[in-house]
């Protein structure tokens, strides 16, 4: 009798374990290959993690692997190791981690190499055939009509798909009728864009590029700190050119919103190798083909958003993370990884450099640079001739305002409209939380037990600390000065667009927010209209802040900056500074310098001193000192257990139980320096009919924290109580809500 081997397999199910299966003769497997396995009533595609001879499960109860999908591992070894590390670090099921890293067709078992797209051509008979004669066969009729209109009377599969999901069947009928013939599509000639004239780097750019190019052979991380418009992208291009000339590949991550056609074009013009793009706007098969192009080594440069960090590269040469501070690098549901942190880990394994670029680096990255973990490179001046905009404060205590818009801001907008220049009105939505404050003396309710502001809960009419759970009565008048009109800060921003419409009935106002841009192509269309001068006022959120140059925008109005100063989200001030810097970077050109007007009730707040002086460094130093004092990241590590349930007390009740288990896990693992807070309702307690609550665990060191998390989760997963609510763990959360 031959000994059958046993494979441990990562299966895409929400369980933090891999499962053992038999590998019946004549099948053979090795770690990293995909297999089909029976799982309950279904078959699932999983990935082999390890092969051995023993299992904790009796052999008689093991099921056999049904099919082996390839002979060689899907991921290069270092990437596979990174995925296993990520599953541990984020305490997330390995099967789901592996699935996240695979293009969707591969999750379903498609061959690694994607099918080439086909093109469909009219035959002579098809050219003269009237589509109307196809009667009620609508899809056939529409395909044929489309073919008649198409240039060269041919269509690619991608175009046919737009007609109907069932286009293949209709097309097959048209082929049977000999109206259409199919060819494998000619590889789309990447319409080799005219090579751009090379830019001569200025001395700061050259120094930065040289420092990185000198260290391409080993792991090293660089912080490229350059103000907006200082020419960071030119430095990236120089590095990517060099990496490609050495026969290696470059992976460039950018925030979703910054991956514009202009940026892609800039890379295609400058890089003498195939450039592929990976983002969520592509069809599944386009993504699969881009992925394959990277994995097979064809693509020289890969430009992508968060999940592109998982792109397999046979010849990795450099990782570049642009706008490294951007919160879109953190996945906010499911597998909550941070692409920057994964890139750093992966690069270390692969032995190659990482470049973190930003005008406003995250405090995490600045702290790491201060500890010598990243080498700092500076671009201190704007590359072109444009100057930095002037930033002014509008003191809301002294200037009247109507519906959130102060008189001086309205006057400034009016002047821009008269001069046919554009205004960008920026609403800060992040860190939104109602905070009670006194507009006479600036009192706001502090938590007596921590360095945090209390949040006002309208429904219960009381104040609560979202860090420790402390509760207090909401005062009717200011406890400090007796003033009776306490303001619920954070309301009314929704009305800005309407107010502008009433004030400027003839102005063309464009709104840019998540809802307005969810549909494919909408954002591009809006941006095109701005560039074409078809808008006078743009109203938007952080979506407007990044990556776009609006040469005719000469005024930026910031409506609700104060939410960033008094928010329960300890990162709100950092994010606000980053956003205002980015937004301000959009405004003004050499011939038309820009102005930024910020409305505030707190013009004397030290925060604004740094902002007015464009002194991010100064702000960061003060903010880091506060974080150190308050035991916040980056000096303390957080993990947040979230729970939600349609039953009002269920989530918080579960977290009360979970807290006891966490304390038990701390004792069991004899871990020092791990703090378990009290469960608290989420700032937005009720969302979509569910009550939400959260529990914060923190520690000065990662190792004991992860030991506790591991023991804790193993217990929670086995507990019947954990099945009554929906819950998830967020390691290094970017939002505490
Ligand atoms: P960043 O990425 O730091 O915002 P970019 O690389 O996009 O900056 O550069 C900003 C602008 O300055 C672009 O229009 C770019 O073409 C121009 N630029 C960058 N470097 C130079 C240079 N060395 N000489 C002339 N223009 C430059
Ligand atoms: Zn007061
Ligand atoms: Zn507190």
């Amino acid at each position: 009798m031959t000994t059958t081997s046993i494979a441990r397999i990562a299966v895409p199910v929400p369980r933090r374990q891999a499962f053992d299966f038999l590998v019946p003769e004549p099948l053979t497997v090795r770690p990293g290959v995909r297999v089909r396995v029976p799982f309950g009533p279904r078959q699932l595609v999983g990935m082999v993690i390890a092969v051995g001879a023993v299992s904790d499960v009796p052999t008689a109860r093991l099921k056999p692997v049904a099919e082996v999908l390839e002979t060689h591992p899907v991921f290069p070894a270092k990437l596979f190791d990174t995925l296993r590390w990520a599953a541990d670090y984020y305490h997330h099921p390995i099967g789901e981690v592996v699935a996240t890293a695979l293009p969707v067709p591969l999750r379903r078992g498609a061959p690694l190499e994607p099918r080439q797209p086909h093109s469909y051509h009219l035959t002579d008979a098809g050219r003269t055939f009237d589509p109307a004669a196809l009667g009620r066969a609508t899809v056939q009729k529409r395909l044929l009509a489309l073919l008649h209109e198409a240039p060269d009377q041919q269509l690619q599969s991608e175009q046919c798909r737009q007609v109907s999901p069932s286009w293949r069947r209709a097309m097959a009928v048209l082929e049977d009728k000999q109206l259409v013939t199919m060819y494998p599509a000619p590889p789309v000639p990447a319409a080799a864009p005219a090579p751009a004239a090379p830019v001569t780097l200025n001395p700061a750019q050259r120094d930065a590029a040289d420092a990185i190019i000198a260290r391409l052979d080993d792991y090293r991380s660089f912080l490229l700190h350059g103000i907006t418009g200082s020419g960071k992208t030119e430095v990236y291009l120089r590095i990517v050119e060099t990496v490609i000339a050495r026969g290696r590949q470059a992976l460039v991550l950018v925030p979703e919103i910054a991956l514009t056609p202009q940026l892609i074009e800039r890379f295609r013009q400058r890089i003498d190798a195939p450039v592929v793009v990976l983002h969520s706007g592509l069809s599944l098969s386009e993504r699969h083909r881009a992925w394959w192009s990277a994995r097979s080594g064809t693509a020289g440069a890969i430009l992508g958003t968060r999940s592109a960090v998982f792109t397999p590269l046979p010849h990795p040469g450099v990782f570049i993370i642009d706008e490294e501070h951007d919160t879109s690098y953190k996945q906010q549901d499911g597998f909550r990884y941070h692409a920057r942190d994964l890139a750093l880990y992966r690069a270390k394994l692969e032995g190659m450099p990482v470049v973190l670029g930003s005008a406003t680096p995250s405090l995490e990255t600045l702290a790491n640079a201060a500890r010598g973990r990243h080498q700092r490179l500076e671009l201190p001046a704007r590359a072109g001739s444009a100057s930095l905009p002037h930033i002014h404060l509008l003191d809301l205590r002294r200037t009247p305002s109507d519906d959130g818009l102060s008189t001086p801001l309205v006057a400034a907008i009016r002047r821009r409209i008269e001069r046919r220049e554009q205004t960008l009105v920026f609403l800060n939505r992040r860190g939104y939380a109602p905070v009670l404050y006194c507009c006479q003396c600036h009192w706001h309710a502090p938590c007596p037990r921590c360095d945090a502001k209390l949040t006002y809960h309208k429904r219960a009419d009381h104040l609560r600390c979202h860090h420790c759970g402390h509760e207090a009565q909401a005062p009717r008048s200011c406890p400090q000065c007796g003033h009776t009109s306490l303001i619920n800060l954070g309301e009314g921003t929704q009305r800005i667009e309407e107010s502008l419409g009433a004030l400027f009935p003839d102005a063309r106002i464009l709104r840019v927010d998540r809802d307005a841009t969810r549909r494919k192509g909408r954002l591009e269309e809006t941006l095109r209209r701005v560039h074409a001068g078809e808008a006078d006022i743009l109203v938007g959120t952080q979506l407007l802040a990044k990556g776009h140059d609006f040469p005719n925008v000469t005024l930026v109005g910031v409506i609700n900056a104060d939410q960033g100063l008094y928010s329960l989200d300890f990162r709100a001030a950092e994010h606000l500074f980053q956003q205002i810097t980015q937004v301000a970077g959009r405004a003004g050109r050499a011939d038309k310098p820009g102005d930024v007007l910020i409305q505030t009730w707190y013009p004397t707040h030290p925060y604004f001193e740094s902002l007015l002086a464009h002194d991010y460094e100064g702000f960061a130093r003060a903010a880091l000192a506060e974080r150190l004092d308050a035991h916040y990241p980056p000096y303390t590590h957080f993990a947040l257990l979230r729970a939600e349930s349609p039953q009002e007390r269920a989530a918080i009740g579960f977290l009360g139980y979970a807290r006891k288990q966490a304390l038990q896990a701390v004792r069991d693992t004899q871990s020092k320096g791990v703090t378990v807070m009290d469960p608290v309702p989420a700032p937005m307690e009720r969302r979509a009919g569910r009550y939400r609550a959260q529990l914060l665990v923190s520690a000065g060191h990662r190792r004991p924290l992860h030991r506790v998390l591991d023991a804790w989760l193993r217990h929670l997963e086995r507990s019947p109580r954990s099945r009554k609510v929906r819950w998830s763990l967020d390691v290094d959360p970017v939002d505490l809500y």
Side-chain angles (χ1 to χ4, degrees):
M1 201 178 105
T2 53
T3 51
T4 318
S5 62
I6 292 165
R8 180 149 297 177
I9 293 168
V11 181
V13 292
R15 300 270 297 277
R16 286 190 320 131
Q17 65 180 90
F19 298 84
D20 289 347
F21 288 87
L22 296 174
V23 185
E25 300 270 7
L27 298 183
T28 56
V29 295
R30 54 194 276 201
V33 304
R34 290 173 305 150
V35 290
R36 258 185 237 281
V37 292
F39 206 87
R42 306 170 288 171
Q43 273 202 350
L44 294 177
V45 174
M47 185 174 281
V48 177
I49 299 288
V51 184
V54 286
S55 171
D56 298 338
V57 182
T59 311
R61 283 178 44 203
L62 292 178
K63 293 189 182 144
V65 165
E67 187 187 351
V68 178
L69 294 174
E70 55 246 335
T71 49
H72 293 287
V74 174
F75 300 117
K78 302 288 164 60
L79 174 54
F80 198 31
D81 290 345
T82 304
L83 297 178
R84 280 187 288 199
W85 168 80
D88 278 349
Y89 183 82
Y90 292 101
H91 301 270
H92 198 76
I94 178 71
E96 292 188 349
V97 171
V98 166
T100 304
L102 287 171
V104 173
L106 297 190
R107 292 177 207 167
R108 297 173 185 158
L112 283 193
E113 188 169 351
R115 254 199 303 177
Q116 283 311 306
H118 293 107
S119 67
Y120 297 87
H121 303 238
L122 286 178
T123 60
D124 286 342
R127 258 186 275 279
T128 53
F129 194 90
D130 180 4
L134 288 167
R136 296 182 341 124
T138 328
V139 179
Q140 290 178 42
K141 204 155 62 181
R142 285 178 53 202
L143 284 171
L144 196 65
L146 205 58
L147 274 161
H148 277 233
E149 290 160 20
D152 306 331
Q153 305 193 313
Q154 58 161 301
L155 293 174
Q156 312 286 324
S157 347
E158 297 292 339
Q159 297 164 290
C160 303
R161 188 164 300 121
Q162 320 263 323
V163 170
S164 158
S166 65
W167 69 276
R168 275 187 200 281
R169 209 170 335 125
M171 194 63 95
V173 179
L174 292 175
E175 281 181 78
D176 278 351
K177 293 178 180 161
Q178 303 199 334
L179 300 175
V180 167
T181 52
M182 179 185 84
Y183 301 102
V188 185
V199 171
T200 311
L201 297 186
N202 64 37
Q205 288 172 312
R206 206 168 45 230
D207 287 350
D210 287 350
I212 296 163
I213 288 167
R215 309 300 295 255
L216 285 181
D217 292 329
D218 212 344
Y219 171 71
R220 200 178 179 83
S221 54
F222 297 89
L223 166 57
L224 179 62
H225 180 208
I227 62 170
T228 52
S230 59
K232 293 185 290 297
T233 310
E234 286 302 327
V235 174
Y236 304 152
L237 285 164
R238 176 62 52 89
I239 297 163
V240 173
E241 278 171 347
T242 311
V243 161
I244 284 171
R246 297 190 186 174
R248 303 193 162 268
Q249 297 168 290
L251 179 64
V252 183
L253 298 187
V254 297
E256 186 87 43
I257 195 67
L259 192 51
T260 56
Q262 290 83 339
L263 183 74
I264 298 168
E265 185 67 7
R266 212 163 147 192
F267 270 79
R268 293 222 157 110
Q269 283 181 338
R270 290 284 296 282
I271 302 302
D272 188 20
V275 174
V276 298
V277 181
L278 278 165
H279 63 83
S280 56
L282 302 177
S283 74
L284 297 183
S285 50
E286 283 170 326
R287 259 188 98 99
H288 185 188
R289 279 200 295 280
W291 180 91
W292 173 253
S293 171
R295 184 188 180 275
S296 61
T298 310
I302 294 90
L303 265 176
T305 50
R306 179 177 61 228
S307 64
V309 72
F310 301 117
T311 312
L313 306 168
H315 314 296
V318 69
F319 280 174
I320 293 170
I321 324 281
D322 189 28
E323 312 287 5
E324 67 82 31
H325 63 276
D326 195 279
T327 50
S328 75
Y329 287 127
K330 178 81 155 82
Q331 168 95 13
Q332 302 277 21
D333 51 24
F335 172 30
R336 297 167 189 263
Y337 64 95
H338 199 301
R340 177 196 59 216
D341 298 342
L342 277 186
L344 285 165
Y345 186 90
R346 183 177 168 194
K348 199 171 204 165
L349 290 187
E350 308 255 23
M352 65 170 175
V354 183
V355 181
L356 307 176
S358 179
T360 51
S362 64
L363 296 187
E364 273 79 3
T365 294
L366 285 176
N368 278 329
R371 279 184 210 138
R373 295 208 191 140
H374 307 314
Q375 180 178 335
R376 281 190 77 141
L377 302 166
E378 306 283 338
L379 302 180
R382 283 197 152 180
S385 44
S387 51
L388 286 172
H390 298 286
I391 305 181
H392 316 266
L393 297 182
L394 301 179
D395 184 348
L396 289 176
R397 296 170 309 176
R398 301 220 163 76
T399 62
S401 83
D402 195 10
D403 261 358
L405 295 165
S406 65
T407 318
L409 178 59
V410 170
I413 297 174
R414 179 161 292 124
R415 274 197 301 281
R416 294 316 186 285
I417 294 177
E418 285 160 8
R419 298 207 302 246
R420 307 196 150 276
E421 294 170 4
Q422 294 167 311
T423 298
L424 197 160
V425 175
F426 178 69
L427 303 179
N428 169 44
R429 285 263 188 74
R430 281 199 74 91
Y432 170 87
V435 174
L436 270 198
Y437 82 120
C438 170
C439 58
Q440 284 297 307
C441 75
H442 307 329
W443 172 88
H444 55 84
C447 174
R449 276 157 62 187
C450 21
D451 191 13
K453 286 103 199 168
L454 298 180
T455 305
Y456 178 59
H457 284 248
K458 212 173 194 167
R459 219 161 46 88
D461 189 32
H462 68 190
L463 297 164
R464 193 182 281 145
C465 171
H466 280 275
H467 192 60
C468 72
H470 175 81
E471 291 192 6
Q473 200 83 62
R476 297 284 147 254
S477 57
C478 173
Q480 196 164 282
C481 75
H483 195 73
T484 48
S485 62
L486 294 176
I487 294 177
N488 184 358
L489 190 74
E491 281 189 342
T493 57
Q494 315 295 335
R495 300 207 308 269
I496 293 297
E497 189 188 7
E498 281 169 38
S499 313
L500 284 167
L503 282 163
F504 303 107
D506 299 330
R508 295 157 303 172
I509 302 175
L510 276 184
R511 184 174 176 84
V512 184
D513 57 17
R514 281 265 169 243
D515 298 333
T517 55
R518 194 160 284 140
R519 247 188 28 233
K520 200 176 167 183
R522 265 300 275 285
L523 181 61
E524 288 71 24
E525 170 59 13
T526 303
L527 296 175
R528 190 199 60 71
R529 288 173 62 190
V530 178
H531 280 284
E534 293 168 22
D536 302 305
I537 306 174
L538 274 146
V539 185
T541 54
Q542 51 264 28
L543 281 187
L544 274 180
K546 277 168 282 198
H548 314 288
D549 274 330
F550 301 125
N552 206 33
V553 168
T554 58
L555 173 66
V556 173
V558 180
I559 300 299
N560 49 352
D562 294 344
Q563 277 180 35
L565 303 183
Y566 297 106
S567 163
L568 66 101
D569 173 10
F570 70 94
R571 286 182 223 261
E574 176 190 352
H575 289 153
L576 182 68
F577 204 122
Q578 291 163 342
Q579 282 170 14
I580 291 181
T581 305
Q582 292 289 335
V583 175
R586 303 306 114 213
R589 275 291 175 263
D591 52 330
K592 293 178 192 167
D595 285 303
V596 178
L597 301 183
I598 300 174
Q599 303 192 148
T600 177
W601 288 99
Y602 304 101
T604 56
H605 196 289
Y607 181 82
F608 288 120
E609 235 172 88
S610 324
L611 196 62
L612 294 187
H614 298 278
D615 181 17
Y616 184 69
E617 209 67 39
F619 157 75
R621 224 174 303 125
L624 281 170
E626 276 177 30
R627 299 262 187 104
L628 186 63
D629 272 356
H631 301 287
Y632 276 177
Y635 302 106
T636 297
H637 306 291
F638 279 180
L640 191 68
L641 187 71
R642 295 188 177 85
E644 57 175 57
S645 163
Q647 266 89 49
E648 185 161 1
R649 301 293 305 164
I652 201 114
F654 167 70
L655 292 182
Y657 164 78
R659 179 170 189 275
K660 287 199 202 95
Q661 298 306 327
L663 293 172
Q664 186 63 45
V666 171
R667 283 192 296 272
D668 289 350
T669 56
Q670 300 183 344
S671 297
K672 297 234 161 22
V674 178
T675 309
V676 183
M677 306 286 180
D678 281 327
V680 290
M684 196 197 290
E685 190 180 349
R686 189 151 177 255
R687 195 164 78 184
R690 291 175 166 274
Y691 293 86
R692 310 178 314 143
Q694 58 198 37
L695 169 61
L696 187 66
V697 180
S698 70
H701 297 280
R702 289 191 200 279
R703 206 180 287 274
L705 176 64
H706 283 274
R707 218 168 32 224
V708 168
L709 293 179
D710 201 49
W712 185 32
L713 289 190
R714 260 186 285 128
H715 186 93
L716 288 183
E717 278 160 349
R718 272 189 260 116
S719 158
R721 293 197 60 163
S722 69
R723 289 192 261 292
K724 304 222 169 79
V725 299
R726 205 191 280 172
W727 57 275
S728 63
L729 183 75
D730 191 352
V731 175
D732 305 331
V734 293
D735 286 329
L736 289 191
Y737 55 93

